[in-house]
Each structure stands twice: as structure tokens, then as C-alpha cells.
Amino acid sequence: MISKLQKTIRPVWAVRGLHKSAVEVLRHPAPEDTVTASFGKFISEVKPQHLSSVVLHRSKRMVLDSIGVGVIGSTTDVFELALQHCQHMYAPDDISSVYGRRGTRLSPTLAAFVNGVATHSMDFDDTWHPATHPSGAVLPAVLALSDMMSANSKPSGLDFLLAFNIGIEIQGRLMRFSNEAHNIPKRFHPPSVVGTMGSAAACARLLSLDPSQCSHALAIATSLSGAPMANAATQSKPLHIGNASRLGLEAALLASRGLEASSLVLDSVTGVAGFNAFYEDYVPQPLELSNDDGHMFLLEEQDMGFKRFPAHLGMHWVADAAASVHKILVGFGPGTVSPAQVQDILLRVPKSKYINRPFPDSEHEARHSFQFNACSALLDGEVTVQSFTPAAIRRPDLLALLSRVRMEHPQDNPANFNSMYGEVQVTLVGGDILKGRCDTFYGHWRNPLTNESLRKKFRNNAGAVLPSEKVERLIDVVEELDRLGDCRALLSQLQ
Amino acid sequence: MLRKGITESFGAAIHAFNTTQLTDGVINRSKRMMLDTLGVGLLGTRTAVFNKALTYSQLFMSHESSSVWGKSEVNLPPHYAAFVNGIAVHSMDFDDTWHPATHPSGAVLPALLALAETLPSQPSGLDLLLAFNVGIEVQGRLMRFSREAYNIPERFHPPSVVGVMGSAAASAKLLGLSPAQCTNALAIAASSAGAPLANAATQTKPLHIGNAARRGLEAAQLAQRGLKGNPAILDMNCGFGVYYKDYSPSAMAVPASSDFKWILEDQDVAFKRIPAHLGMHWVVDAALAARAKLENSVRNFDLSQIRNVTLRVPPSKYVDCPFPATEHQARHSFQFNASSALLDNKVTVSSFSETQINRPALKELLSKVKVETPKDNLPSFDKMYCEVEMETDQGQRYVARCDTFYGHWRKPLSQKDLVEKFSVNASSVLCTEGVEGVIDVTGNIERVRECSILGSYLRMTSSQHEQLYSTRSW
């Protein structure tokens, strides 16, 4: 047994750069004292009663929104491609449902994959701070796994919701280990880093793994994490969420079979990178369950952002700013805005290469273009699902406006979803200058969508594919989720 | 976004490669790699990690399936066959190693063989050989984009970075994808790259190779279906460059003529004699030499006479493990491998079993070992050395140094020894006909009409209980 002296040395492990080779050679931290072990313990031991009413409420909104965007996502090309790939490479399996496709079922990890792809296919899914898209990585896996569990041991709605919240919580905790995570990403696409871990955590909980297995699930998932930003704004981006969901589930299943991995994967070990491989700065903290009934889930301190239109979160600021200019312009003269009126458009936005695209070529690029979204909103007064169709992207009026856009990156506009703003300044041909500014768009966590607005978005999305009775039933079931004895009521409505 | 066309040059090159570019030199070397990979893979099908992966993989069903090496009755969906066979290859850390450091073959061959089985028209042995070499070449090219890649890794495990790209390239080649599709295969694969080093020295490490094989194959198939990724993935720092601290990519010339210079021709691989991290080979050879010196000068040599042992090795945290608790840690421990060599006068496949790891005599020896990392000992498989110095109770010192172990690219295994390593490995699983069949087919692969014949030999298991690891000492 390692002596009590260990405990005084332990905190030192978490701080990088400290020369401690002599200590390292002789000792290891007691297994239960590591950050990695604390995460495993939390996943295994947190209880449903730790979910406060705020967290229950907020997470149910996330579940509803995620299903809605997933269902409408089942109409996209990339989803079709992913589904056909799975159906071609694998035999049909009667297990886990595919969003929006009546009668189509796949093996659990494959269903998690395609449903995850659907969820992120239009960049319509939720966004958190620090930045990631948390639900799309977790919900498809939890649904698929629930489908897999035998009929007489399906999770209750509360178990389901707890697993989901664990998946979200783990992501939030991991992102707080680095300053880098707080800004709009430049290197690794966050859902591919923390999403896989969240999925693994949620699935480990649903599988009732013990603390050690939960830790191993996280460690196995780490080796499956990490995709470069360069594939954002391409057709491959949705696969980042699909794979996060799938591979996290896979990690949990492998852990349940006894596969083991590094027991220090979340800790910071000099010379051997673990989860910190994905970050330039990294200071891990143990995740502790307090002795009393309370655990403050991060979702309680930090709410979720929901999108009003299917594009990168940053677009919402410029769209709202441009929309206010549109309103003024339309007030001036005829009911539409014409490029002929506009001489120059100046956007003041944060500096971020992958959302700075003057002439987007594809729907994926358009969803990641300050310029495109500003001009769309200027022209139409809003950005919607229809703004990204091939025809809409190629409108001559839009292209005309795009050619008049200039960008500025003010020092006081950081690339951070908590602090950024969007300003649109339009110089009219006559010389008048109109300005619009948005500090907090409607849907941001500081100005959350009302339940009414959230349901409207859901009805528009899910209703594009499912019959309205199923749409309404889903709204009811999710509202009641924590009181459902059996989550099958949810599972049966998704296609 | 500046596109220098590097990624597209790779796509064009992968598409353009044809069999006339295969030189004798590269054919020779790559056949050796194939044989060695199959042998270690077959042996690996008897490991615990392989079995866990196999059980897991059997959850999936498919219309078309591919064989699992060393299992006459098991088939899996092609991706999962690539997955488990890849895991088998790396399960004991017995597979080939290159410079810059990676394990190139395990990421490529399992994917190709699994894919080949599903193709409507069976590829020839030459097709297989070409695709294999494309997969190796791409890995070599990518590693030359950074200085960081030249040293023993600290952040990402190289096979998880370049291996998946090699698998994607090789699979794209075998599928006959267009230049644009080859480019997309690489882009899609890049999103599947990068596993941190912390899982090395654990039971999960072999999955890095298994997943590289599987996900590269998947990337190629998704590209074939029309999925697109970033066509400048290799050009950008926020693309493939994310895996490296310094990153300087360059284009690949389309191999038009028949005198294409393969990297493999310039830089051979190392084959392992011991199922352990490559660094262990230096320390074992040095330890054996030091022990011989001690034995020669002392009558009635007895290990308890050793007072302390000093190992002078390059700095590499993940193979510095004073008291390994598992087989995986033992394979990644300078201390363990040196001590085993000193204790047993050999290190073999059986040195890493649980009983062997837990021997009191070994543990006692381990407690006398200390590690030094001299400044001139660089963490590079091309430049490192190991020195073992023993001090006896009488105060006598015995030192030996190894600069180049037998099996390293500077001192390659003879063909005879390579074939013998294969035979010993494969015989633990296959019957004699299978063993000899694989040797024969691989040795003549460029003349084989349909490479599926290889698959049938790989499943000719012996009905007897497997021979517990050979006692052949190296």
C-alpha cells in the first residue's frame, strides 16, 4: 500500500512543468487519487436525485431540440450517404432506430453514427460555452443503447435523462481544463474531442459499469477522439458528431467487456500525452461528488444556446445585426432590399478563419460564412433553413451583395461565444450609413429561446418528416421524460 | 485559405501509381514486411485483447464478410475484420517499425486483405503488393512533414496519425478510386486520426492499429460513395498539421515514369525479435552482452552477486517503467527487459506472461535497476543506443553497449531468420500446410493470380492445441 505521504504529493501531479522525476520513479499516485479515477467514480455513482429541476428542465429542452434537428437532418445528402454506407457495409439489424426512417434499424453503434450525422448535418444543433455541440454526441448513443437493452430492462425516463446529463456534464468538465477551449476552436473540432468522451460516459452509465470500467471507457474513448478543424465547413463535419456518438458507445461496450486502457488518461503526465494531447494548455481537476445530496451540474450554471437557423453559431450575431438593418431599409422605400441601394457592407466580427468565407461554394461553406449570413439576412430580413438551398446560395442579388463586403476584426471582439458581438454597417449609394449591432442573439444562453419558440422550431423540423401526431407525442413524451417508467415511449416515436 | 495543392497531388499520385513502378528492391522489402506482419498477426489472435475485440465485433452482421486470421470458421464485416486483424498484429508489439517512427504494415495489410475479399473481381498479388506499397509510401511521406515525427513520440501515437492515412490511401488504390476520390479519402481519414500516447503500454494500444486499418478503409469507401472532406487537408495547419507542433508539408510528384523512388527503398524497416517496444531491443542486446562478460570472468556466476544495474537510455517516459504490473507495461519497460535478459539470458515471447512478470527473482533484480538518460542519447530510433552496466558485490563493473540491434534497419534480419520468426509465430495457430502456404504465396506474391489464396492459408488452423510459445532464444 502506498503511504499517506502520497496525498501531499498528489496535487503536484496536476501541475505541469514541475520537475519531479525522482518522485515519479519511486512512486505512482494511488489509483483512487487520480483525476481519471474521480471521473469514473462520478459517472458510476451520481444519482438521479442530484438532478435539480433547472437541470431537468434545461436538458429536456436539449433532448427535444436535438431530436428535431436530427429528424430534419435525415433529409440531407450527407445523412443519406452515411446511411447507405452503413446499410451496404452491414446487414440490417433489428435493433436501433434511425431518425425519420420508418422501419429502418441498424446495429446500435451504426444507428448512433447516422443519427449523429443527421443531428449535425445542417449545423442546426445546440451550442454550449465553452464551445461544443454537446447533445448530438450523446443523445444518439443513449437512444441506440436503450434500443439495445432487453425489453424487460429498458431504462426509465429518469435513468435515460441522467445518463444524458452525465454525457453533457463530462464534456463541460473536460473543456474547463484548458483556456484554449474557451475560444472558438482553431485546431481540433471540439465535438470530436469532448463529444466522444461524453458519449462514452453516458453509455457507461447506462450500462451500469463500475467506477473502474467507467474510467476505462473514458480512456478507450480518448484514443478515438480528435478531428482537425479543417474538415469543418465541409461535408465531413457532421461525421465528427456521428463518430463521437458511435465511438463513445463503442468505447463503453469495449470497457464492459473488460478492455482496459490508461488509468492516467485525464491526468497530466509529462512526456506521455493523454487527453491533454488535444490542448496547448491543460490543467485537470478531479470531479467530486459532494457528500450531501447536491451536485451542481454545469448545465445549471451555464445554459445552452439553441440555433434559430442552421448555421455556425457565430452567424447568428451577424444575421440579427443585418436583420435590423434590413428592417430600417425596408422602412425607407419598397418592401425588398435591392443590391442597387447598397454601396458597401462592413462587418465587424471576431477573427476566425474557418467562418470567414467571402464566396462560399457549397451549403457547408455557406453555413460557415459571416459574409453569406449577413448578406442573406440583409436581403431577406432573416436566415432560415431555405437560405442554404443551392438556388438560394446562387442568387444573383446575393452574389452582388457579397462582392461588396469588407471585414474588420476589432480588438475588442474576441473569438469567444460568450463575449463576441457582430456589427453590420451598410453604406447606401446615397451616402447614408446604417448600422446594426448584436451583442446577444435571440437563442443565445443570455437570451434563451422561450419554450414556445423552441417548440415552434421543433414542429418545423420534426414536422418536415414525421406525421403531426408523432410530433406532438414527442413534445409530450420529452416533457414527461423524467416521470416515465420506461423510455420506450420515446424510442418508438423517432421514425 | 491558401491551397498549395499538396493534398490534390497526393490524390493524383495515389491514383496514378501502377505496377511498373514497383522495383525489385521495394518488392523484396515489402514482401518481407507482409510475411512478418502475417506471422505476428497470427500469433496475436491468441491474445486477450484480440478476443475482446473479436467478441465485440461479432455484434455486427453484414452481407459480405471477410476472414479473421487464424480462425477457420469466423467471418466479420470487412471493417471489423480489418479491425480485429489489425489488433492482432499489434497485440504483442511484435510488428515492424520504421523511421521516422511508426508501425506501418499493421495499419495497411489487414485493411487490404479484408477489402480484397469483398471485391467482385479478385485483385492479383501484384495489385495487392502495389496497394500495400502505396499505403506505406504515403505514411513515409506524411512523417517527413515534421521534425517532431523523427523522434520517439510524446503526444500522439504515430500509427494512429499516419497509419489511418496509409490505410485510406492503400484502400483507395485497391478500389481504383479517381484522383478526387483519393483526395477525399485522405481528408475523411484525417478526421479519424490521432490517438494520444497515454494508451501505449496498455491493452488499448493494439486498437490504435486496428482502428487505423478499419477507419482508413472506411474513409476510402465513404469517398467512393461521394463523401467530401477538405481538399486541402494536408496543406493546412488546422488540417493534418494539428497532429504536429511543426508542420511543413510538400507535394508529391505524380509517379509517371518507371523509376519512382520509393521511400522504402531508401529507408528499410526494422523487424523485432522480441515482442516489445523497439527501444527494448537495444537494452536487451546490451544486457545480454554485459551478462556474457560477467559470466566469462566469474566462475559460478550468480545473479544475486549483482549489486546494482545502470541503464543508459534515451529519455522516453512511456518506456520508463520501473515496476511493470501488466504484460503491456512490461513490453514498454527498459528496466523489465534488461532484467529479463540478465535473469534468463534471453527474452522471448514467453517472457511477458503474468507468471514471468511476477517472479520474485525478477522483482528483486528490478529493484536494483536505475535509469540514466545521457545527453548524447537521443530519443530517435535512428540515433539511440543503450548501455547496461552491472556492478557486483565485489565492486567489479561490467559494461556493454548496443548501438544497433540485430533486426534494426542498419542490421536487417537475414531472410532465413525472418522466415523462421514467421514459422514459429504462425505454427502456434496454423497447421504446417498453412504455414508453408503463406510463406510460399507471400514469397511469390507478384506472380499470384488471385490474392484470395492467401486468405485461405491464413485460416488453415491446426487441430492440435497450439504450441505454447517457442523456446527459441535469440
Side-chain angles (χ1 to χ4, degrees), chain A residues 55 93 142 168 195 212 254 263 269 294 303 415 422 425 451:
Chain A
V55 167
D93 207 343
V142 175
I168 304 302
S212 165
L254 286 166
S263 48
V269 179
D303 199 359
Q425 183 176 291
N451 281 339

Side-chain angles (χ1 to χ4, degrees), chain A residues 209-228:
Chain A
L209 302 189
D210 69 36
S212 165
Q213 289 170 316
C214 289
S215 296
H216 285 303
L218 290 178
I220 296 164
T222 305
S223 276
L224 298 164
S225 297

Side-chain angles (χ1 to χ4, degrees), chain A residues 24 88-91 109 187 219 223-226 228 230-231 235-236 240 246 250 258 260-262 270 273-274 277, chain B residues 52 56 60-62 79-80 154-155 187 191 193-194 196-199 203-204 208 214 218 221 225 228 230 238-239 317:
Chain A
E24 272 178 57
H88 189 252
M89 298 275 79
Y90 301 91
T109 58
R187 278 192 327 141
S223 276
L224 298 164
S225 297
N231 274 333
Q235 199 188 30
S236 285
H240 291 183
R246 153 167 52 159
E250 183 166 277
E260 297 189 337
S262 167
T270 334
Chain B
K52 288 178 185 173
Y56 168 73
F60 300 89
M61 309 182 305
S62 62
H79 293 174
Y80 283 92
E154 284 191 357
R155 217 156 60 107
S191 278
L197 200 59
N199 278 331
Q203 195 181 43
T204 290
H208 292 184
R214 155 169 59 147
E218 181 169 78
Q221 286 172 320
R225 249 173 218 291
K228 299 188 191 345
N230 191 324
C238 67
K317 182 77 183 65

